[in-house]
Amino acid sequence: MSMEVVKPGLLTTVQDLGRKGYAKYGIPKTGAMDGYAHRLANWLVGNHACEAALEITWSGFSVRFNRDMLVAITGANLAPVCGRIAVPMWRPVWFRAGSELSFKRPVSGCRAYLAAAGGLDVPQVMGSRSTYLRAKVGGLHGRSLQAGDMIPVKLTRHADKPLFVGAANSASEVFCAPAWSAAPRDGYGGTDMVVRVTRGREYGDFREEAIQRLIAESYRVQPDSDRMGYRLSGPPLLLETQREYISEGVADGTVQVPADGQPIILMADRQTLGGYPKIAQVISVDLPLVAQLPPGGSIRFREVSIAEAERLYCEAARELRLLRRMINYKLKED
């Protein structure tokens, strides 16, 4: 089983939940920028959350299914269509062999995820199928997808479900989907986000006015933002006195501030060490919101305590477990 890339779009890569345990060798975690959407795409087709899926950035991507295939699209609404018919998102969708799925334009968010039942069958490199573009590691030949690429898909038993068998026997259907969906949480995919942060390691080294600006002002996402970091512009955040810092470990969501005072949020392809002062840390549950912000979008930070961040993490984890059980129940029912 395979999918053929018809048009590569702006940037499409193979990503799973990341490469763990290699930071001490300078290898970043990489993986899906929006882990929330990535997990749901896999669950909706009966996969484990860690299976590889496509991360489609912005628009222009098209793929042709060479076999009947069960897929799910989550994340950004990039106006997916098949045969000029809008394809529903956040639910499993059965496609007939030969169908072509295209992504036209961003309606909300900027990164969509396409998971296929069984998962993408590309080789694991250091325990992950994620593409790390800077090192040309993982994914399909360590690079973004190109026209003509054949993406292998593992064989699976999910295609024999009654709903999809019925659709497969109908000559008029190019795709078919159930009525239910796993809708995203409120505020997902907007262009103006309130992002919650805890204090960074060097928070106290910044001027009082910088600390006030961090919370009171809005910061805009710059066009040169990428999978490594989101570069923001706004009122400068300056240190009380200029000084040098020893490079140390950084994490997804660390907010570093270079000498020009313009903050950078480190994302999935971040470096493993950083020497810029860290004014804040985006809490884990809000990282998917940042990942869906397009250039020109704006961020307003709101400080929460570490205890509150942990409570929100546990609450989100409980909601995800419940959602997974409900999806599994619906998949067995259909």
Side-chain angles (χ1 to χ4, degrees):
M1 295 176 66
S2 64
M3 297 184 285
E4 180 181 358
V5 178
V6 179
K7 295 180 182 177
L10 180 65
L11 175 66
T12 304
T13 57
V14 175
Q15 299 292 344
D16 59 18
L17 290 181
R19 190 167 279 110
K20 300 173 183 174
Y22 293 90
K24 59 186 175 184
Y25 304 116
I27 304 296
K29 180 177 76 66
T30 66
M33 287 278 280
D34 181 348
Y36 171 78
H38 183 279
R39 281 183 173 84
L40 260 65
N42 271 316
W43 289 345
L44 285 166
V45 293
N47 292 348
H48 292 295
C50 58
E51 290 290 350
L54 298 184
E55 181 178 272
I56 303 159
T57 304
W58 215 243
S59 62
F61 178 74
S62 293
V63 67
R64 182 181 297 113
F65 302 105
N66 291 337
R67 295 280 300 272
D68 290 358
M69 202 170 294
L70 181 64
V71 307
I73 305 165
T74 61
N77 182 355
L78 305 182
V81 296
C82 179
R84 298 186 178 181
I85 304 173
V87 176
M89 296 180 58
W90 303 94
R91 69 192 72 188
V93 184
W94 173 88
F95 284 92
R96 181 181 292 281
S99 301
E100 185 173 321
L101 171 66
S102 300
F103 294 81
K104 295 299 184 183
R105 67 188 188 287
V107 177
S108 63
C110 63
R111 289 183 173 85
Y113 292 86
L114 190 157
L120 307 184
D121 195 13
V122 298
Q124 285 195 339
V125 179
M126 289 178 277
S128 170
R129 294 183 169 86
S130 285
T131 312
Y132 178 33
L133 292 172
R134 282 181 168 78
K136 301 179 180 178
V137 165
L140 193 69
H141 311 309
R143 57 167 171 73
S144 60
L145 299 185
Q146 299 175 3
D149 281 343
M150 302 298 290
I151 310 166
V153 178
K154 301 175 192 173
L155 290 172
T156 178
R157 60 182 176 80
H158 297 293
D160 61 0
K161 291 186 176 301
L163 171 69
F164 304 107
V165 171
N169 292 332
S170 170
S172 62
E173 301 283 356
V174 291
F175 70 85
C176 179
W180 57 270
S181 70
R185 58 177 168 164
D186 293 341
Y188 180 86
T191 55
D192 301 294
M193 286 291 165
V194 175
V195 173
R196 292 165 289 191
V197 296
T198 57
R199 295 185 180 187
R201 183 178 172 89
E202 286 82 31
Y203 178 89
D205 293 352
F206 285 84
R207 297 178 185 176
E208 182 60 32
E209 63 182 23
I211 291 172
Q212 292 174 0
R213 286 172 172 175
L214 177 71
I215 303 302
E217 304 289 349
S218 180
Y219 288 83
R220 194 161 296 279
V221 178
Q222 293 303 290
D224 56 349
S225 297
D226 58 16
R227 285 182 46 85
M228 186 174 184
Y230 263 48
R231 294 181 175 275
L232 308 180
S233 68
L237 307 174
L238 301 178
L239 293 167
E240 189 65 46
T241 57
Q242 288 296 325
R243 52 178 294 191
E244 292 187 358
Y245 294 89
I246 297 174
S247 292
E248 59 183 7
V250 290
D252 293 4
T254 296
V255 184
Q256 288 189 322
V257 183
D260 63 2
Q262 301 300 306
I264 303 171
I265 304 177
L266 300 183
M267 302 298 286
D269 283 0
R270 60 175 169 77
Q271 71 278 16
T272 56
L273 298 174
Y276 292 135
K278 298 168 283 296
I279 193 171
Q281 176 71 39
V282 176
I283 67 173
S284 297
V285 297
D286 282 357
L287 276 173
L289 304 180
V290 178
Q292 291 296 351
L293 272 171
S298 68
I299 290 178
R300 188 180 294 272
F301 294 107
R302 182 163 73 83
E303 184 184 349
V304 297
S305 65
I306 292 176
E308 177 68 357
E310 291 174 343
R311 186 191 69 77
L312 291 166
Y313 177 85
C314 292
E315 182 179 302
R318 282 195 297 272
E319 290 176 356
L320 280 174
R321 284 197 298 271
L322 177 60
L323 188 55
R324 185 181 185 185
R325 285 199 292 269
M326 294 173 68
I327 290 171
N328 286 343
Y329 175 78
K330 298 299 291 184
L331 287 175
K332 291 176 182 175
E333 187 180 53
D334 285 335

